[in-house]
Amino acid sequence: MSELAFFSGTMDCGKSTLALQIEHNRSARGLQGLIFTRDDRAGEGKLSSRLGLVTDAVEAGPGVDLYAYVVEQLSRGGKVDYVIVDEAQFLAPEQIDQLARIVDDLDLDVFAFGITTDFRTKLFPGSQRLIELADRVETLQVEAMCWCGARATHNARTVGGEMVVEGEQVVVGDVARSAAEVGYEVLCRRHHRRRMTSATARAGSLSPDVLPVVSG
């Protein structure tokens, strides 16, 4: 039976790499997939991983009806055996509904990949809808690491190396950008709460962590 599967995790945990691996494995068996993506770091209409792998994809911009797109491909005689969606957190909730319809009405597997929360620790609307609708939700086992060595659980947006907590929910950036640009960094909860990035941690001599003192 076909299913809608959502693979989630922080940045740097290998989501896009897994998407490309699924595409490779299935295409090697003679199956043909349709790949959607949104705002990939490599540019419009690309699915890329930080390992340097990249393939062409369909840009799922605002207003694109994903179900109608697949139906059109099939009606023209095209072959679609499965659907892969990367950067699924950027999709609108109604586009996630369309993915569920692809599974239910067209009997195709849909593999969606994305991060769950933004730099403010708030759920992306697309990810929230995936959690609500997916037949299967899996957290990737490749753990990203905070600068301190602990498991990274939160995504932070940085400007000039300093963490920011205000601004538009979607601003395309990357962990490899220079400190002067808008970028992203994965942090453990402790350092996300303290807004302590790798750059600010190096900026001064840090005193040992102490328990907070509450007066009264």
Side-chain angles (χ1 to χ4, degrees):
M1 181 178 292
S2 58
E3 66 173 358
L4 172 57
F6 179 37
F7 298 88
S8 67
T10 62
M11 297 178 297
D12 272 350
C13 73
K15 296 180 303 298
S16 298
T17 301
L18 179 57
L20 288 164
Q21 185 67 56
I22 289 177
E23 162 65 11
H24 170 76
N25 290 352
R26 292 191 166 227
S27 62
R29 296 296 178 265
L31 301 176
Q32 186 168 329
L34 184 58
I35 303 175
F36 291 106
T37 191
R38 174 80 175 272
D39 293 335
D40 188 273
R41 68 185 72 84
E44 183 173 332
K46 298 292 182 183
L47 165 56
S48 67
S49 79
R50 292 191 176 90
L51 298 182
L53 305 173
V54 63
T55 191
D56 292 329
V58 177
E59 186 73 15
V64 174
D65 188 323
L66 307 182
Y67 176 81
Y69 191 98
V70 176
V71 169
E72 182 180 6
Q73 296 301 306
L74 294 171
S75 65
R76 290 182 175 181
K79 183 181 180 183
V80 180
D81 296 308
Y82 59 94
V83 174
I84 290 175
V85 185
D86 198 29
E87 306 292 358
Q89 73 273 6
F90 295 144
L91 298 184
E94 56 267 26
Q95 290 176 309
I96 304 302
D97 289 352
Q98 294 157 14
L99 295 180
R101 190 179 178 192
I102 290 171
V103 175
D104 296 340
D105 294 358
L106 303 180
D107 198 25
L108 299 177
D109 285 321
V110 175
F111 305 97
F113 301 82
I115 59 179
T116 51
T117 58
D118 64 15
F119 67 104
R120 301 165 299 184
T121 71
K122 304 297 183 181
L123 283 169
F124 282 99
S127 297
Q128 178 178 335
R129 193 61 179 148
L130 273 165
I131 293 170
E132 294 166 347
L133 291 183
D135 300 293
R136 177 163 55 103
V137 178
E138 294 196 12
T139 301
L140 270 66
Q141 298 303 307
V142 178
E143 295 182 351
M145 296 181 66
C146 177
W147 60 264
C148 69
R151 179 190 175 200
T153 55
H154 291 65
N155 305 300
R157 179 182 294 170
T158 61
V159 176
E162 295 189 1
M163 180 175 157
V164 295
V165 293
E166 295 181 354
E168 295 292 331
Q169 185 176 51
V170 179
V171 175
V172 179
D174 196 52
V175 296
R177 295 197 174 193
S178 67
E181 299 179 273
V182 174
Y184 291 91
E185 182 175 351
V186 288
L187 301 172
C188 64
R189 185 180 64 237
R190 172 187 294 180
H191 289 123
H192 191 278
R193 287 180 56 245
R194 297 178 182 179
R195 303 186 189 181
M196 189 178 295
T197 66
S198 58
T200 56
R202 290 193 301 265
S205 177
L206 299 180
S207 60
D209 290 342
V210 296
L211 293 175
V213 177
V214 180
S215 61

